[in-house]
Amino acid sequence: QVQVVESGGGVVQPGASLRLSCAASGRTFTTYTMGWFRRAPGKEREFVASIAWSDGNTYYSDSVKGRFTISRDNAANTVSLRMNSLKPDDTAVYYCAIQYRKYSSGSHSDQTEFDAWGQGTQVTVSS
């Protein structure tokens, strides 16, 4: 099956930056979308950002738009998330996920339409 591995989390001060990386590998598959989700303390997992493999279109939650940037390497099936101006509210476990099935809805943010997930990497923003 497809495996997903993310890395790059850490502990930083408010206003700092971090870069998360993710790689998908395994049996032959078609990548439609790769994205990032996060789960903060006391909250359910939520959408952060995603990128479509066909055209590179990006999608962001309102809470991170303008601060986070998602990018891809199609050949390597990797995706990165550059996080700038980090806030304490960004503290969460960040998960990378891949959509390798063709969903009729065409959603780029619905976590139920992502097919394989990484184990998560912790990002902590505090003074």
Side-chain angles (χ1 to χ4, degrees), residues 18-76:
L18 276 176
R19 186 181 184 90
L20 307 183
S21 298
C22 173
S25 62
R27 66 196 305 172
T28 300
F29 59 90
T30 299
T31 301
Y32 292 102
T33 306
M34 290 188 72
W36 293 92
F37 298 78
R38 68 186 182 186
R39 185 170 186 169
K43 297 182 178 180
E44 297 298 317
R45 189 161 57 191
E46 66 177 358
F47 169 74
V48 176
S50 66
I51 184 166
W53 240 241
S54 61
D55 54 17
N57 284 348
T58 57
Y59 307 86
Y60 299 94
S61 68
D62 289 340
S63 62
V64 308
K65 190 176 299 182
R67 298 188 297 121
F68 291 10
T69 303
I70 188 170
S71 60
R72 62 173 177 163
D73 184 332
N74 292 41

Side-chain angles (χ1 to χ4, degrees), residues 64-105:
V64 308
K65 190 176 299 182
R67 298 188 297 121
F68 291 10
T69 303
I70 188 170
S71 60
R72 62 173 177 163
D73 184 332
N74 292 41
N77 269 337
T78 59
V79 64
S80 296
L81 184 70
R82 180 66 178 180
M83 305 183 294
N84 294 329
S85 302
L86 283 163
K87 306 174 180 179
D89 285 349
D90 295 318
T91 296
V93 177
Y94 283 71
Y95 299 89
C96 180
I98 182 172
Q99 182 186 77
Y100 58 76
R101 297 179 181 177
K102 183 68 173 179
Y103 292 90
S104 59
S105 68

